[in-house]
């Protein structure tokens, strides 16, 4: 996949808020009337890319283009990363081995057929085990434990960030800052403002490998 231009890159909530701040300054300076400001502000919060944001500032002489900010790094716990990844790879196999072994043992115990004593799960567990060993060796070589740890930590941080957002929503609704059922744009604008004020940390992102 080729490199994409800055204009095609996805904008973040913090970028949308920077443009909203510049539009507010333009309104206060008299460069935009209230109708133009409202229209562009809605466009800022609905923007998907930096190109969408740039188009809102093109005719404003004092506006500066938004520079993509580096993603917030996710701390990767180094300790036990390999052990946790190995458990992630091998636990499904071991559970399946225990399940099939119990079925085989139960059938062998109640069967009088001598052929029933043959450990038939080997036909399933053998190939699966070979593939799991190969995946383990390849993963250890390619740094999969670190990537897995980063993904798990990122998911944990996203869950915490989601809970913080919900708490802010509840407080804002109780204080009358948001309606009981805010629209998507209202929620985005509220979160962008909360992030700008420092009441909410930016949404965590996975660092590029």
């Amino acid at each position: 996949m080729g490199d994409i231009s800055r204009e095609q890159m996805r904008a973040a909530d913090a970028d949308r808020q920077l443009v909203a701040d510049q539009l507010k300054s333009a309104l206060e300076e008299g460069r935009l009337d209230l109708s133009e400001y409202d229209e562009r502000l809605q466009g800022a919060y609905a923007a998907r890319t930096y190109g969408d944001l740039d188009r809102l500032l093109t005719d404003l002489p004092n506006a500066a283009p938004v520079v993509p900010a580096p993603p917030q790094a996710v701390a990767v716990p180094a300790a036990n990363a390999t052990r946790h990844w190995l458990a992630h790879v091998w636990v499904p196999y071991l559970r399946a081995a225990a399940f099939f072994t119990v079925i085989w043992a139960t059938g062998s115990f109640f069967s009088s057929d001598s052929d029933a004593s043959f450990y038939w799960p080997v036909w399933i567990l053998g190939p699966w085990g070979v593939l799991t060993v190969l995946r383990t060796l390849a993963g250890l070589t390619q740094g999969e434990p670190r990537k897995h740890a980063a993904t798990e930590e990122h998911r944990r941080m996203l869950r915490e960030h989601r809970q913080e957002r919900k708490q802010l929503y509840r407080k804002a609704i109780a204080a009358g800052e948001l309606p009981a059922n805010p629209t998507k744009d209202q929620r985005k604008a509220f979160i962008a403002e909360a992030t700008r004020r420092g009441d909410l940390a930016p949404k965590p992102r996975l660092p590029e490998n």
Side-chain angles (χ1 to χ4, degrees):
M1 180 177 177
D3 294 336
I4 62 174
S5 66
R6 171 191 168 280
E7 287 72 19
Q8 295 173 310
M9 293 176 64
R10 292 277 181 163
D13 287 341
D15 302 317
R16 299 182 185 96
Q17 186 58 46
L18 286 175
V19 171
D21 291 341
Q22 295 190 66
L23 293 174
K24 183 178 180 182
S25 297
L27 173 67
E28 294 171 348
E29 294 169 356
R31 302 182 189 277
L32 296 174
D33 61 32
L34 189 57
S35 176
E36 291 172 323
Y37 169 73
D38 287 339
E39 181 180 353
R40 295 196 190 195
L41 186 64
Q42 292 180 23
Y45 288 128
R48 294 177 179 271
T49 66
Y50 286 99
D52 294 335
L53 293 175
D54 289 345
R55 284 188 283 273
L56 302 171
L57 304 174
T58 301
D59 57 349
L60 300 178
N62 295 331
V66 179
V67 178
Q72 180 183 355
V74 175
V76 179
N80 299 325
T82 299
R83 180 171 62 85
H84 290 160
W85 179 77
L86 288 174
H88 170 73
V89 173
W90 280 94
V91 163
Y93 174 79
L94 295 176
R95 286 176 177 170
F99 174 75
F100 288 125
T101 298
V102 168
I103 294 177
W104 166 80
T106 303
S108 298
F109 180 79
F110 290 103
S111 176
S112 58
D113 188 351
S114 59
D115 292 337
S117 61
F118 173 71
Y119 186 69
W120 56 262
V122 70
W123 299 115
I124 301 173
L125 299 177
W128 188 354
V130 171
L131 292 176
T132 305
V133 169
L134 293 176
R135 181 187 175 188
T136 300
L137 295 175
L140 292 174
T141 303
Q142 298 170 6
E144 287 299 324
R146 178 183 56 80
K147 296 176 184 178
H148 177 71
T151 300
E152 290 300 308
E153 180 67 6
H154 180 240
R155 289 174 179 169
R156 183 191 65 79
M157 294 177 69
L158 284 177
R159 288 194 297 269
E160 292 181 354
H161 192 268
R162 191 178 303 115
Q163 290 300 320
E164 291 176 3
R165 290 204 314 268
K166 290 180 179 179
Q167 291 178 3
L168 286 175
Y169 287 147
R170 286 194 290 266
K171 291 179 181 178
I173 292 172
E177 299 176 7
L178 279 176
N181 296 303
T183 65
K184 181 178 180 180
D185 287 341
Q186 287 173 327
R187 292 196 302 269
K188 289 176 63 175
F190 174 77
I191 290 302
E193 177 62 20
T195 303
R196 187 186 66 81
R197 293 196 309 262
D199 296 339
L200 180 69
K203 185 177 180 179
R205 302 179 185 177
L206 269 174
E208 295 183 0
N209 294 319

